[in-house]
């Protein structure tokens, strides 16, 4: 079976390959992969989206938004916090979560914008 999406001959541009390999070696690709792995869960991406919409939400609000128990919402929020994507603040008996910084917000917004573009091209 012939595929149109692969090279028919091997032709390596050693300058480009070496430049990119050296650049990749300087990066912590595993940590970045963990970020995307965390966001690959439907519940966590919905939570992250909710935190894009509102600057902060308490665990009770998050549970109601995603349709889960407080324990499940708390588990997912803790996972996002442990990976540096979210942070929390306890106020009295309530715990409020927010996205860790503007970069996380941009990641979520760009992902949804890209998803919309894909639908427009269908």
């Amino acid at each position: 079976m012939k595929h149109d999406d692969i090279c028919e001959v091997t032709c390596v541009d050693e300058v480009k390959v070496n430049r990119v390999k050296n650049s990749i070696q300087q990066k912590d690709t595993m940590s970045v992969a963990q970020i995307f792995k965390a966001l690959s869960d439907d519940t966590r991406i919905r939570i992250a989206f909710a935190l894009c919409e509102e600057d902060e939400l308490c665990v009770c609000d998050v549970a109601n938004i995603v349709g889960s128990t407080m324990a499940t919402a708390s588990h997912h929020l803790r996972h996002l916090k442990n990976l540096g994507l979210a942070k929390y603040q306890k106020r009295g008996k309530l715990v409020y979560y927010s996205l860790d910084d503007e970069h996380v917000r941009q990641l979520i917004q760009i992902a949804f914008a890209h998803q919309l573009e894909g639908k427009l091209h269908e």
Side-chain angles (χ1 to χ4, degrees):
M1 175 188 275
K2 189 171 181 175
H3 296 279
D4 289 343
D5 59 352
I6 62 171
C7 296
E8 293 180 29
V9 297
T10 301
C11 177
V12 177
D13 185 330
E14 302 246 356
V15 173
K16 287 181 184 179
V17 168
N18 288 331
R19 183 172 50 238
V20 174
K21 283 173 88 171
N22 287 333
S23 183
I24 286 175
Q25 289 174 350
Q26 306 300 314
K27 305 295 181 192
D28 183 0
T29 56
M30 189 60 76
S31 292
V32 174
Q34 290 292 356
I35 290 169
F36 284 102
K37 184 177 178 182
L39 295 174
S40 70
D41 179 87
D42 182 60
T43 300
R44 284 193 290 272
I45 197 68
R46 289 190 292 137
I47 290 170
F49 178 79
L51 293 173
C52 281
E53 295 287 293
E54 294 292 331
D55 286 337
E56 66 178 12
L57 292 165
C58 78
V59 177
C60 308
D61 292 335
V62 170
N64 276 278
I65 289 167
V66 300
S68 73
T69 64
M70 285 204 327
T72 297
S74 181
H75 167 79
H76 287 294
L77 286 160
R78 195 175 307 112
H79 192 70
L80 291 171
K81 180 190 76 69
N82 289 341
L83 288 169
L85 300 176
K87 58 188 176 186
Y88 76 92
Q89 189 176 79
K90 186 161 182 145
R91 288 191 222 129
K93 294 183 179 188
L94 299 176
V95 175
Y96 289 88
Y97 276 85
S98 60
L99 295 177
D100 189 60
D101 63 23
E102 188 59 27
H103 294 113
V104 179
R105 181 179 312 282
Q106 290 172 2
L107 269 173
I108 305 305
Q109 291 171 335
I110 289 168
F112 277 98
H114 179 72
Q115 181 265 335
L116 269 179
E117 285 177 12
K119 284 191 172 190
L120 293 175
H121 295 296
E122 290 178 351

